[in-house]
Amino acid sequence: MKKITYLLTGLFLFVAVNGVKAQASQECNIKYNLFKQNALSKKYAEAKPDLDYLLNNCPKLSVNIYKYGVKVASGIKDHALAKKIYEMRLANFPDKDPAKAHSDYATYIIKNKIGTDGEVFSILEKAYAISPKDMGVKNIFRYFKAVTEKNKDTNPQKVFDTYDDVMESVQIKLDDYNKKIAALQAKDSSGTIDSKEKKRLNAYTINSTSLGKVEGGLDAMISKIATCDRLIPIYTRDFDTNKNDGVWLKRAVSRMYNKGCQTDPLFEKLANAYAEATQSADAYNFLAGVLAKNGDRSGAAQMRKKAFDLETDPNKKARYKLIEAQSASGSRARALAYEALKYNPNLGKAYLFIASLYQKSANSCGSDEFEKRMVYVAALNKAQKAQRVDPGCGAGRYIASYRKNVPSKKLVFQKGLASGSSYRVGCWIGETVRVP
């Protein structure tokens, strides 16, 4: 009898407990649906009681509690609640876009001025440690600026490493936008794009443009620190420790190249070590530069071909062709840039490079002021093309510069031409453009 009594008691308790749980779960779902409906309708005051219930009783029900919850807290200007929501989201859903969540948290604090610089940096540091590429565009810049200020005098290597990580993440995001924009622009040109895709194209264009500005801002900051006088002693000191580290070697040789430090013997040492350690297409491409500098044109050409043939990513193939173009001049350089565009038609920097070639020829490609200024029209066209296909390439400043130098209406009138008429730019350029 006692055993039967214990079994019946246990069964009763089991049913009772599970009944309570089921009732609680049902209540959570009811509250969640009411909360979500009010939040989406922007009835934030009405959503607040249900939000409080969900936070206290059903914190793991859905990540949307926190996504919509922030909007509710922001709508009623309850910043303490917003901070609580961000913290609870990160605790209860640590694997749901954690870098973006941290980045959004930092943005909220900055926007509403409810935290210290140290608090913001701590949150951004967590986002960066998880995934720099998932941080907001402005926060990428903020984080790097803070790291630079903290370490530029005491630990410049920390600044360089952070810059490399950030720039690699920025490039990944830019490449992703580049592909998405190219696909949607093709649909737009064929007239098959729908309204949702049109909105996405606009959003990708805006984000890509913003990233391009961040890239320029990061370059401006690092350029003040990463001088040859500073880089050479650091890389000389650390070479023996890192001579087999492909990542360190890649970053060192890339920075030496980008800062124009190739004339120092250390650059050749780094490039050779990089090629030996990784035997990668990227390494062979740098080695080609060393051979070219030493006057071995044949060896440089062979090494570039080796790098190009080894690479399978068309975007990287395009970049290698552009690097080769940048070491050439005139029509040969332009031809190589166009080869780069065959592998990536949306490589804006290739169009900008062609534009720069035209601009440099302005004084030599024309017998009078009008003809010389029409060269800038050709350059402007290429820069505008770069901006259209690759909003993040930083074409804006080139466009502004070239536009200032196109022929004035007075000059066009004096030449006896009509605005909008066709005009062939001579010299090696040989392109037909429109008179402004």
Side-chain angles (χ1 to χ4, degrees):
M1 284 295 295
K2 286 184 179 181
K3 287 184 178 180
I4 293 172
T5 302
Y6 290 148
L7 285 170
L8 289 173
T9 302
L11 182 62
F12 174 78
L13 289 172
F14 175 80
V15 171
V17 168
N18 279 278
V20 170
K21 285 183 178 179
Q23 188 176 3
S25 176
Q26 186 178 11
E27 186 70 12
C28 283
N29 286 324
I30 291 170
K31 294 287 187 182
Y32 172 72
N33 288 327
L34 289 171
F35 156 73
K36 183 178 177 181
Q37 184 178 349
N38 282 324
L40 289 171
S41 302
K42 298 184 179 180
K43 297 177 181 178
Y44 299 133
E46 291 89 335
K48 170 72 163 51
D50 292 324
L51 172 60
D52 289 336
Y53 181 90
L54 293 168
L55 292 175
N56 292 324
N57 298 283
C58 333
K60 295 183 182 292
L61 179 65
S62 170
V63 72
N64 287 333
I65 293 171
Y66 306 98
K67 290 181 178 181
Y68 297 133
V70 168
K71 293 181 179 180
V72 170
S74 180
I76 61 176
K77 300 188 185 309
D78 190 338
H79 302 316
L81 175 61
K83 292 181 79 170
K84 176 184 176 181
I85 289 168
Y86 275 114
E87 294 290 350
M88 287 188 66
R89 172 188 169 158
L90 291 165
N92 287 290
F93 292 92
D95 299 324
K96 292 280 188 179
D97 301 320
K100 184 180 185 304
H102 278 97
S103 183
D104 290 345
Y105 187 14
T107 298
Y108 188 92
I109 290 173
I110 294 163
K111 181 181 177 181
N112 294 286
K113 301 177 182 178
I114 56 173
T116 64
D117 290 343
E119 185 179 359
V120 170
F121 179 77
S122 177
I123 295 169
L124 291 178
E125 198 169 31
K126 291 173 184 175
Y128 172 81
I130 298 166
S131 176
K133 72 181 179 67
D134 293 322
M135 294 171 68
V137 172
K138 291 182 179 178
N139 283 336
I140 290 174
F141 187 83
R142 285 189 183 107
Y143 177 74
F144 181 69
K145 185 177 181 182
V147 169
T148 301
E149 290 301 319
K150 284 174 178 284
N151 298 282
K152 63 182 179 181
D153 295 321
T154 57
N155 187 9
Q157 186 62 54
K158 168 74 172 176
V159 179
F160 301 155
D161 289 342
T162 304
Y163 172 86
D164 289 325
D165 287 339
V166 169
M167 288 302 288
E168 285 170 10
S169 296
V170 167
Q171 191 59 57
I172 289 170
K173 293 181 84 163
L174 282 172
D175 285 346
D176 184 50
Y177 283 133
N178 193 295
K179 291 175 184 176
K180 290 175 178 176
I181 288 169
L184 290 172
Q185 282 181 339
K187 296 192 76 173
D188 194 22
S189 298
S190 64
T192 58
I193 194 169
D194 61 34
S195 58
K196 288 183 179 179
E197 290 172 327
K198 198 90 171 177
K199 287 181 180 178
R200 284 204 296 270
L201 176 58
N202 184 55
Y204 296 152
T205 300
I206 291 170
N207 291 340
S208 182
T209 302
S210 298
L211 273 175
K213 290 177 181 177
V214 166
E215 189 176 28
L218 297 179
D219 282 340
M221 269 194 279
I222 200 73
S223 66
K224 296 176 182 178
I225 302 168
T227 61
C228 294
D229 289 341
R230 193 171 225 157
L231 291 173
I232 292 167
I234 291 174
Y235 292 148
T236 300
R237 179 195 69 195
D238 297 339
F239 177 77
D240 286 337
T241 304
N242 297 284
K243 62 185 178 182
N244 296 313
D245 184 338
V247 174
W248 185 90
L249 288 164
K250 177 183 179 178
R251 292 178 170 184
V253 77
S254 296
R255 177 146 297 110
M256 291 278 285
Y257 176 84
N258 290 331
K259 295 304 296 183
C261 310
Q262 302 98 309
T263 56
D264 192 273
L266 178 63
F267 178 78
E268 184 171 346
K269 188 177 180 181
L270 289 167
N272 279 302
Y274 180 33
E276 186 175 343
T278 66
Q279 298 183 26
S280 65
D282 190 56
Y284 293 138
N285 196 55
F286 278 113
L287 204 53
V290 170
L291 292 170
K293 184 195 73 172
N294 293 337
D296 186 356
R297 292 185 178 181
S298 176
Q302 289 176 7
M303 196 59 66
R304 282 197 184 95
K305 186 177 185 307
K306 185 175 182 179
F308 189 79
D309 291 343
L310 190 61
E311 185 55 66
T312 56
D313 184 338
N315 285 341
K316 289 184 179 179
K317 278 182 175 288
R319 289 188 195 121
Y320 292 156
K321 279 295 177 184
L322 182 56
I323 290 172
E324 186 178 356
Q326 290 165 343
S327 65
S329 59
S331 57
R332 169 66 178 159
R334 179 175 62 179
L336 288 166
Y338 275 122
E339 282 187 41
L341 288 165
K342 289 178 182 177
Y343 291 95
N344 180 6
N346 283 55
L347 183 60
K349 288 181 180 178
Y351 286 112
L352 290 179
F353 174 67
I354 295 170
S356 71
L357 292 174
Y358 290 175
Q359 179 264 324
K360 290 173 185 175
S361 298
N363 287 328
S364 58
C365 283
S367 59
D368 58 26
E369 184 183 357
F370 175 81
E371 291 180 358
K372 291 177 181 179
R373 287 189 177 276
M374 285 303 292
V375 174
Y376 282 97
V377 176
L380 177 62
N381 287 349
K382 288 292 180 284
Q384 289 173 328
K385 175 76 171 178
Q387 188 175 60
R388 283 195 300 275
V389 301
D390 187 3
C393 70
R397 59 192 177 92
Y398 293 89
I399 291 171
S401 174
Y402 300 150
R403 190 171 276 147
K404 289 177 183 177
N405 290 284
V406 302
S408 64
K409 289 184 178 179
K410 181 181 177 181
L411 200 58
V412 172
F413 176 76
Q414 290 173 344
K415 195 70 176 177
L417 295 171
S419 178
S421 60
S422 297
Y423 177 87
R424 185 167 179 79
V425 178
C427 200
W428 67 274
I429 296 173
E431 287 202 11
T432 299
V433 299
R434 295 287 177 185
V435 176

